[in-house]
Structure formats: C-alpha cells, structure tokens
C-alpha cells in the first residue's frame, strides 16, 4: 500500500517570499503520478501541479515548481513570489498509473495549511 | 466543459434518516470514487467504481453504499447516518493521469 506523509501541518510566509512544502511517499510501484492540490476556503480541490514518475525533469507551473527526488521518494512544492490568494490547505497525493479495467486511487497526505501574510 | 457535479453542497440531517449525495460527470470516465475529508486525516477513499455495475470498497466503507447504474452517475448512499459520518465528501472522476473533483458536500449528522 502507498503512503504519503506531509510533516508540516501549518506554515506561514510573507507576501512575495518563497516557501517550500514537504512531502514524502512510499511505494513499490514504478509507474505513478504525484500531485499537489490546493484547497482554498471554498473547499474546492484545485490541481496545482502534476509530476509523472518516469520524467526526470521537475514540473513547473508559473510560480509553482516541484523538487522530485524519485530515489528518496520526496516531492516538495515550491511557491515563489507568494500571494495572498495562495492561502489555502495544500495536499500532496500519489496515484499509480492505471488503465481501462484496472483500479487505482489517489492517496493523500494529511495536508499543510499555508498562510500568506502581508 | 469537463465537469463533476455533486449535490447538495450542504446537508444537515438527523441520525438514522437515509440520504443520498449525487455525483455526475460528463467526461465518459469509467473510473469514479468517493472520498471523505476529516481534519488531520486528509482525504480517504470510501468506495470506487471501475465501470457500470462494478463497485468495490475503499479504505473506509463502513456505513456507506454506492451504485453505478449509468456511467455518468455514482451516488453515495447513507442508509442510517450517524454523527461520526459528519464530514466533507468529494466525488472524483478519473482520466488515466488526473482526477477531477466535484465541489464537495458538507454533511452534518446530528
């Protein structure tokens, strides 16, 4: 079974600064995806960034980037130039690759609550 | 527009009164699942379905039922809700490399 660990329940960062959220996972799978989801007060689950395990290059999406260390099973999220709108709960998640007729699921960490302050 | 529609958004009910939370997707996905979110626990899978008439238990299935009579719909049924089922619920529909979530249902059982 897969496990995902987020060891920082809460973090705070000042506007315009950079913050890194940590995530480690455990799996015996070779083909999988890793995700960071943002959950603002509206409770909506918003995909921030996705990383395919077979890709060595770290994924980036505008101000969001990841540091994917496959051997260490580490998947941290870096938010640059933090904005007030980044205030949210952030979840790290794992999903093994699946195909038609097979099952998979997203396994989530317990989340990191990020507060961006003025 | 790719969409997962969940209803209702908020629900307050009393112990033992049967309820259904609906979920519908317009992406023709085979795979769908239900999660509950609780503080400090993240999201945990309740049930999943790989296709019409094919469902199976997730990590926390006790007290829940599901059905998949049509590909687009995957309702979550609580036949006798109890206060420990007070939670935030999400329906998800999957492509091969991504999950699409509904808006969430905040359920309170008193």
């Amino acid at each position: 079974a897969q496990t995902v660990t987020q060891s920082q329940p809460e973090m705070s960062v000042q506007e315009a600064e950079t913050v890194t959220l940590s995530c480690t996972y455990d799996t015996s799978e070779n083909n999988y995806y890793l995700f960071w989801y943002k959950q603002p007060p509206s409770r909506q689950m918003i995909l921030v960034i996705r990383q395919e395990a077979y890709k060595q290059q770290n994924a980036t999406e505008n101000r969001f980037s990841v540091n994917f260390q496959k051997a260490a099973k580490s998947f941290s999220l870096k938010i640059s130039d933090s904005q007030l709108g980044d205030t949210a709960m952030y979840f790290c998640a794992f999903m093994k690759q699946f195909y038609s007729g097979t099952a998979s699921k997203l396994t989530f960490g317990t989340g990191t609550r990020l507060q961006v302050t003025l | 527009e790719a969409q997962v529609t969940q209803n209702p958004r908020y629900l307050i009910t009393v112990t033992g009164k049967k309820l259904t939370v609906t979920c519908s997707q317009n992406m023709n996905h085979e795979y769908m699942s239900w999660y509950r979110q609780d503080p400090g626990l993240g999201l945990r899978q309740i049930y999943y379905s790989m296709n019409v008439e094919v469902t199976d238990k997730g990590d926390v299935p006790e007290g829940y039922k599901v059905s998949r009579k049509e590909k687009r719909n995957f309702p979550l049924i609580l036949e006798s809700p109890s206060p420990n089922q007070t939670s935030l619920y999400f329906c998800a529909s999957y492509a091969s490399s991504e999950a699409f979530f509904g808006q969430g249902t905040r359920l309170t059982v008193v």
Side-chain angles (χ1 to χ4, degrees), chain A residues 39 43 100 104-106, chain B residues 30-31 35 37 59 90 98:
Chain A
Q39 188 180 49
R43 305 195 314 260
S100 177
S104 183
K105 69 174 182 182
L106 278 164
Chain B
E30 293 178 348
Y31 191 75
Y35 290 86
Q37 181 183 347
D59 299 318
F90 285 98
E98 186 176 352

Side-chain angles (χ1 to χ4, degrees), chain B residues 81-92:
Chain B
S82 62
N84 65 11
Q85 293 178 297
T86 291
S87 189
L88 176 59
Y89 291 86
F90 285 98
C91 178

Side-chain angles (χ1 to χ4, degrees), chain A residues 92-117:
Chain A
C92 178
F94 169 101
M95 184 172 79
K96 73 174 185 180
Q97 189 169 12
F98 72 100
Y99 307 93
S100 177
T102 68
S104 183
K105 69 174 182 182
L106 278 164
T107 300
F108 287 87
T110 52
T112 296
R113 187 172 301 281
L114 177 67
Q115 180 72 46
V116 180
T117 60

Side-chain angles (χ1 to χ4, degrees), chain A residues 7-45:
Chain A
S7 57
Q8 305 153 314
E10 294 183 351
M11 293 192 74
S12 182
V13 64
Q14 285 192 318
E15 200 177 20
E17 297 295 308
T18 296
V19 64
T20 299
L21 279 56
S22 301
C23 173
T24 59
Y25 62 96
D26 191 24
T27 185
S28 57
E29 300 287 339
N30 259 332
N31 299 318
Y32 55 88
Y33 299 92
L34 294 162
F35 306 87
W36 279 98
Y37 283 92
K38 172 185 178 181
Q39 188 180 49
S42 66
R43 305 195 314 260
Q44 188 179 1
M45 293 293 285

Side-chain angles (χ1 to χ4, degrees), chain A residues 65-76:
Chain A
S65 61
V66 297
N67 183 2
F68 174 47
Q69 301 289 328
K70 190 173 183 179
K73 294 179 181 170
S74 170
F75 183 61
S76 61

